[in-house]
Amino acid sequence: MGSREEKVRPIVFSGAQPTGQLTLGNYLGALSHWVAMQEDHDALFCVVDLHALTIRQEPEVLREQVLSLAALFLACGIDPEKSTVFVQSHVPAHAELAWLLSTFTQMGELERMTQFKDKALRHRQNVNAGLFTYPVLMAADILLYGTHRVPVGEDQKQHLELARDVALRFNNLYGPTFEIPEPFISKGGARVKDLQEPTKKMSKTAESELARVMLLDDAQAIMKKFKKAVTDSLAHIADDESGQPGVTNLLNIWGAATGRSMEEALAHFSHNQYGKLKVETAEAVIAILEPIGRRYRELNTDRSYLWEVLQAGAAKARERAEGMMVRVMDRIGLPLERQRFRG
Ligand code: TYM
């Protein structure tokens, strides 16, 4: 952490859950921006395995998915020389700070979280307290590192607002302690929709396989899914999100995958039929995902390298997190053990 240049780089933190494979939505909304931001930020990227526990997991499957998600981060272009890549449960301060912050978070605030309401409906048999306090753990993840920017998809915006509110509340009570994090939500890729029900977000849990493109889908599967994507019977291509959600979604995906704006997407496709929009969108996505799949298959077999990366990442993250924990505990009035007190 020595050089001066490094000290002034803004801090970026983000994470993804090791629950099943990632979707194209995860990539366009989040991971593609992580890769870009690591170039000029002090970046930390985390496999948030503690968050995944809010839904019942098979121990063997979870263990495997934590490692394969780390491999996927690297395959997408996260460079462990530039970014700190680690597993949330390797840094106990996440859970520790989450407890402290839960005492600065109101029940009413958590009750308003739309993701909690949705998940509580979908998992009626297991509406556990962790599902409810999930956003507090997420606030802890972010605030532990003095994070300036958090690149996420649109669906995480409300959680980030809560993290900001909690940080402000704490700072007002105890003096400046936490950085107030800014969401970084891209224009194009932040709301990738389900290909079968394009008013819903593309998610790992959609029932139909055709609804989502997975990062490790092969070219044939990707082409098939886009060809079968639901559009409408209007037979014209315009940016009318409420009237043509399926078409808007494809335009959005094509734009995000090729680095073009919605205006450029419209100019490119406006005199064409849906068939061309679907095929070109699939081709743009295949061009991105094919090399990711190739790198993933190499990396995921080299478990000793992955462990090396994750251990080095955890050591760096633990050290940074400890500095913040000491500060927070001290402010609140928790007596610090001598070995913990490092000034
Ligand atoms: P998760 O694991 O559900 O998703 C990882 C990232 O992918 C984004 N995303 C999408 N973006 C665009 N379109 C979509 N259809 C789409 N689906 C998912 C998500 O917004 C997210 O950025 N709670 C978080 C993980 C988390 C976290 C954090 C993120 C835990 N702590 C601290 C940032 C900072 C989650 O469940 O993401």
Side-chain angles (χ1 to χ4, degrees):
M1 265 197 287
S3 82
R4 265 186 86 180
E5 199 193 326
E6 211 161 339
K7 278 195 193 124
V8 297
R9 287 190 306 169
I11 297 169
V12 60
F13 179 96
S14 202
Q17 292 195 61
T19 44
Q21 265 193 37
L22 294 189
T23 68
L24 179 65
N26 296 127
Y27 181 79
L28 295 178
L31 271 96
S32 61
H33 305 291
W34 303 2
V35 173
M37 289 172 95
Q38 71 181 342
E39 299 302 329
D40 52 2
H41 287 73
D42 174 7
L44 299 112
F45 300 117
C46 186
V47 177
V48 291
D49 54 349
L50 298 176
H51 277 100
L53 300 179
T54 54
I55 290 163
R56 208 49 71 227
Q57 305 287 342
E58 278 297 323
E60 280 313 314
V61 177
L62 178 61
R63 244 190 297 278
E64 170 59 31
Q65 283 183 345
V66 168
L67 279 189
S68 58
L69 182 55
L72 199 50
F73 282 9
L74 304 189
C76 286
I78 303 295
D79 178 351
E81 299 288 321
K82 296 178 183 158
S83 301
T84 302
V85 181
F86 69 104
V87 177
Q88 188 182 31
S89 64
H90 293 172
V91 183
H94 288 249
E96 248 180 315
L97 183 61
W99 168 255
L100 301 182
L101 294 182
S102 75
T103 67
F104 296 90
T105 310
Q106 298 302 305
M107 296 287 285
E109 291 179 299
L110 293 175
E111 276 160 359
R112 281 196 289 279
M113 295 289 125
T114 55
Q115 209 161 74
F116 167 69
K117 290 192 257 185
D118 289 352
K119 284 199 184 169
L121 277 179
R122 275 194 281 128
H123 302 274
R124 276 176 204 273
Q125 73 299 350
N126 184 20
V127 184
N128 59 71
L131 196 62
F132 188 63
T133 58
Y134 177 115
V136 183
L137 179 57
M138 184 162 158
D141 300 339
I142 296 167
L143 300 180
L144 256 184
Y145 299 99
T147 304
H148 297 97
R149 290 180 199 145
V150 188
V152 284
E154 184 77 31
D155 63 323
Q156 297 299 320
K157 195 171 167 200
Q158 200 186 24
H159 291 160
L160 263 168
E161 277 158 12
L162 180 77
R164 287 168 59 88
D165 289 345
V166 171
L168 280 167
R169 188 169 304 147
F170 190 99
N171 288 357
N172 285 337
L173 283 166
Y174 295 102
T177 308
F178 296 120
E179 191 66 42
I180 309 302
E182 292 285 340
F184 178 95
I185 297 174
S186 72
K187 248 190 167 173
R191 271 187 284 169
V192 176
K193 301 293 191 184
D194 183 299
L195 296 181
Q196 292 299 309
E197 287 184 70
T199 50
K200 291 187 180 167
K201 85 165 178 182
M202 182 183 283
S203 93
K204 297 169 193 165
T205 49
E207 253 170 54
S208 161
E209 289 272 316
L210 290 174
R212 54 195 138 94
V213 172
M214 308 309 290
L215 283 200
L216 300 176
D217 277 350
D218 62 27
Q220 217 184 343
I222 297 171
M223 186 57 82
K224 176 174 160 199
K225 289 177 182 180
F226 277 106
K227 281 191 172 164
K228 292 196 182 264
V230 166
T231 46
D232 52 53
S233 53
L234 298 174
H236 79 116
I237 294 180
D239 174 22
D240 176 6
E241 196 166 350
S242 51
Q244 294 192 277
V247 171
T248 303
N249 188 33
L250 294 175
L251 289 168
N252 236 326
I253 293 174
W254 181 84
T258 58
R260 254 57 88 75
S261 66
M262 182 52 94
E263 292 70 42
E264 288 171 304
L266 278 173
H268 185 77
F269 289 110
S270 62
H271 299 296
N272 290 292
Q273 308 208 318
Y274 291 167
K276 184 173 155 85
L277 173 62
K278 290 178 175 183
V279 168
E280 282 199 26
T281 304
E283 284 167 352
V285 168
I286 291 167
I288 294 180
L289 298 192
E290 246 180 359
I292 292 178
R294 229 176 297 126
R295 282 195 298 272
Y296 170 80
R297 281 185 291 278
E298 277 168 30
L299 281 159
N300 198 35
T301 51
D302 194 348
R303 288 295 163 95
S304 61
Y305 170 69
L306 277 179
W307 269 113
E308 233 173 75
V309 167
L310 293 177
Q311 265 163 350
K316 276 197 266 175
R318 268 196 299 269
E319 188 173 331
R320 296 174 70 156
E322 177 66 6
M324 181 61 87
M325 278 313 294
V326 164
R327 193 139 38 114
V328 171
M329 289 172 76
D330 196 40
R331 295 242 149 135
I332 297 180
L334 295 171
L336 293 166
E337 286 178 291
R338 193 175 299 160
Q339 69 266 33
R340 207 162 190 187
F341 188 71
R342 284 187 281 157

